[in-house]
Amino acid sequence: MDEIHIWVLSISLILLLHTTNSADEAEKQALLNFYQRLSNGTHPIDPDFGWNASSDPCSDRWNGITCNSGSFIKKVALEGLSFNGILDANSICTLNSLTVFSIQNNSIHGEIPTELANCKQLTHLYVNDNRFSGSLPPSLSRLNNLKRLFLSSNSFSGELPDFARISGLVTFLAQNNQFRGEIPAFDFSNLQQFNVSFNNFSGPVPELNGRFNDTSLLGNPSLCGKPLPKACPPSSPPMKQRSKSRSVERILMYLGYILLALVFFSFIVYRIIRRKKKRESKSNNSKTKKEVVTESKTKASSEYSGYKTGGSRSEFSIPSSTGSGVVSSALVILSKSKMRDLTFEELLKAPAELLGRGRYGSLYKVTFEDETTLAVKRIKDWTISSGDFRRRMEKVDKVRHPNVLPAMAFYCSKQEKLVVYEYQQNGSLFNFLHGTQSEKNFDWGSRLSVAASLGEGLAFMHKELYEDGISHGNLKSSNILINNSIEPCISEYGLMVIDNKAISSVDHGNSYNAICPSPGGPSLFKDDVYNFGVILLELLTGKLVQTNGFDLATWVHSVVREEWTVEVFDKALIAEGANEERMVNLLQVALKCIDPSPEARPSSQQVANMISIIKEDDDRSIVSET
């Protein structure tokens, strides 16, 4: 009886192995068919290329084929091999586990087949730099798992399919084609790369959410709307709406005539009453005039010296004045600034919104009539002379780095010190991590890029301003602003207020001060390194620096000391599958920065170099995966 069971089991295994081998053979034959049509019947000269019936795609490692541990083909990449045939989608989509498909930089012609939509597991599709033509099939919008789509530098025409349906799309490159029609309303809050330049698109540009500038849209003469300089013409209403609007116009016209008659009648009555009053109150007329003049002067003086309290204006005012009571207009426009000519009086009169207030000053958003928006930092109680302040601002202005926000202008008097910046509408790093922007996708790659960019910017500023002794003095995530290119910028560099124990400034939501034993010297730069280390901890943990007695640096030290290092990292990073080794490496950099001994901390240049190595390693891994 046991022998019968063993015999039955053996037969089952043989059948199972035969079925498995048949499936493998089917995929291999499909690959060979795909290859023959792609190469137009030619074969590679190099015998090591593989792709023949006598070998296996996975175990024999065919060129361009990547398999997972279960011998399932997950990637086909035949790039820059001068293929000049056509794309056989029926064959390539036989591979049920295919996630990455790349045939870029060849000479493949013809149209993209409708059947390519059957590759349902595709996450990366690269067909750029070929000779494809014709319209894209609408079925491509059913590739729901697609994250990166490269179509650029072909001869595609027609309208784009509704790729906006693909919610997870992060890269869409379709430049240098002949596409026409309107641009689909992509989810631009998720897109990291987008380019449709040099096509024949027309109509209004969809709302880009400030993520991309005009370089992504150039070469489309019929496109209009921001960020392009060409405004869209007003759309003409339908006939029914036009007839309705004409009726409304007639009614308004008749109402206008009636109102004019009433105004004329009221004016006559007013003149009669005024003439009568004038006769009766000649004796009191001079007194009344004097009171009106006094009231007018008081009102004008009040509006000139500060902002009116009300919904449209904040309590932001600058009471700087000379001995004669005339407001000073010594607003210094920095030489390298592209800001328009601006006077101190214009700054006073423009509506201002309070963004943040701290012990040593406040930050305001100031909006002008031409829709120019500036950020104004107001510092108080800083005992620095006007001459020293001016020299300091001019020295900082001479040092420019893409990741350091430059000042556009400044004002200095005995009572007030103001610094004017370009307003950054995307908010701060603090908001991306903890506040109003925290719901946005802020994955490991984005955080590592922020860390690398900030490290380079800080190291550059330290190197250029070391001899002048000008450090940042108040580096924290709320002082890291995100510009229109979604790049981090260090703001308020060199605007520090010194007391006996700490360097501080305006706080917009988090608070930490580096202990400063002296108001100058190398220790100031080491304090910047400490605070940069705390920012790295924020990026890694996603936690606030200080809240309800919790101190981030102390907590991280305690967790690492107990050898629970993985517990430190933000759960969102763990969930996305971020590389733990590289996160640990960045954590080690942060721990070096927050060493209690300033002498033991690395320099900002050493920190930047360490983060750069981690990022290069991360970039290489991304390239190898795709």
Side-chain angles (χ1 to χ4, degrees), residues 360-596:
Y360 296 102
S362 306
L363 185 69
Y364 297 89
K365 175 185 176 182
V366 181
T367 306
F368 297 90
E369 291 182 356
D370 62 356
E371 298 185 356
T372 300
T373 306
L374 301 176
V376 179
K377 174 68 179 294
R378 177 189 181 195
I379 310 170
K380 63 178 181 179
D381 300 330
W382 188 1
T383 56
I384 182 174
S385 68
S386 297
D388 288 343
F389 183 77
R390 181 179 187 122
R391 283 188 288 274
R392 183 183 189 85
M393 293 304 302
E394 289 175 345
K395 285 178 181 177
V396 173
D397 181 59
K398 291 179 181 178
V399 181
R400 296 295 181 104
H401 189 275
N403 298 112
V404 179
L405 188 67
M408 303 178 76
F410 67 89
Y411 167 86
C412 181
S413 71
K414 186 176 181 180
Q415 296 87 2
E416 297 285 357
K417 294 168 184 66
L418 304 175
V419 183
V420 182
Y421 294 96
E422 182 181 1
Y423 178 72
Q424 305 298 318
Q425 63 181 4
N426 291 319
S428 68
L429 177 61
F430 177 85
N431 289 334
F432 267 78
L433 287 169
H434 317 296
T436 56
Q437 306 290 328
S438 59
E439 72 278 1
K440 292 189 175 182
N441 183 28
F442 201 41
D443 57 11
W444 163 245
S446 301
R447 301 191 198 196
L448 183 58
S449 295
V450 165
S453 297
L454 294 179
E456 291 174 3
L458 186 64
F460 179 81
M461 298 300 285
H462 279 188
K463 177 184 176 183
E464 298 297 321
L465 295 171
Y466 185 84
E467 292 183 1
D468 298 304
I470 302 177
S471 65
H472 187 286
N474 189 39
L475 195 62
K476 55 186 178 180
S477 59
S478 58
N479 282 339
I480 307 301
L481 303 182
I482 308 301
N483 64 19
N484 291 334
S485 301
I486 319 298
E487 289 288 331
C489 285
I490 301 171
S491 70
E492 299 186 12
Y493 192 94
L495 304 188
M496 58 183 178
V497 181
I498 302 174
D499 59 26
N500 292 331
K501 292 184 178 180
I503 299 174
S504 183
S505 186
V506 175
D507 194 331
H508 306 302
N510 60 333
S511 169
Y512 49 97
N513 298 325
I515 300 302
C516 177
S518 62
S523 62
L524 293 177
F525 297 94
K526 291 293 187 178
D527 291 338
D528 277 357
V529 171
Y530 181 93
N531 288 340
F532 181 60
V534 176
I535 292 175
L536 294 181
L537 293 183
E538 282 187 89
L539 289 168
L540 288 166
T541 66
K543 296 183 180 295
L544 289 166
V545 175
Q546 291 178 348
T547 177
N548 298 326
F550 171 83
D551 180 79
L552 180 59
T554 303
W555 176 76
V556 170
H557 274 302
S558 65
V559 175
V560 173
R561 189 164 50 248
E562 296 295 332
E563 298 183 353
W564 295 342
T565 303
V566 71
E567 299 296 326
V568 166
F569 302 124
D570 191 339
K571 291 181 180 179
L573 297 180
I574 300 297
E576 76 171 65
N579 186 278
E580 185 177 327
E581 180 183 355
R582 285 187 280 276
M583 287 196 294
V584 170
N585 290 340
L586 188 61
L587 176 62
Q588 294 299 324
V589 176
L591 292 175
K592 291 177 182 178
C593 293
I594 64 171
D595 193 294

Side-chain angles (χ1 to χ4, degrees), residues 183-198:
I183 300 173
F186 290 93
D187 184 358
F188 289 98
S189 60
N190 285 334
L191 279 175
Q192 298 173 3
Q193 293 177 290
F194 176 76
N195 197 327
V196 294
S197 59
F198 298 101

Side-chain angles (χ1 to χ4, degrees), residues 341-352:
D341 292 336
L342 179 69
T343 65
F344 188 66
E345 287 78 7
E346 287 180 297
L347 202 59
L348 281 178
K349 293 176 183 178

Side-chain angles (χ1 to χ4, degrees), residues 293-303:
V293 170
T294 303
E295 182 182 352
S296 299
K297 286 183 177 179
T298 304
K299 184 178 179 182
S301 176
S302 173
E303 292 184 1

Side-chain angles (χ1 to χ4, degrees), residues 85-114:
I86 61 174
L87 172 58
D88 180 5
N90 279 325
S91 295
I92 199 64
C93 290
T94 303
L95 310 177
N96 294 322
S97 300
L98 185 66
T99 58
V100 179
F101 179 49
S102 177
I103 50 175
Q104 61 184 337
N105 197 21
N106 284 287
S107 297
I108 304 166
H109 62 278
E111 298 186 0
I112 297 293
T114 301

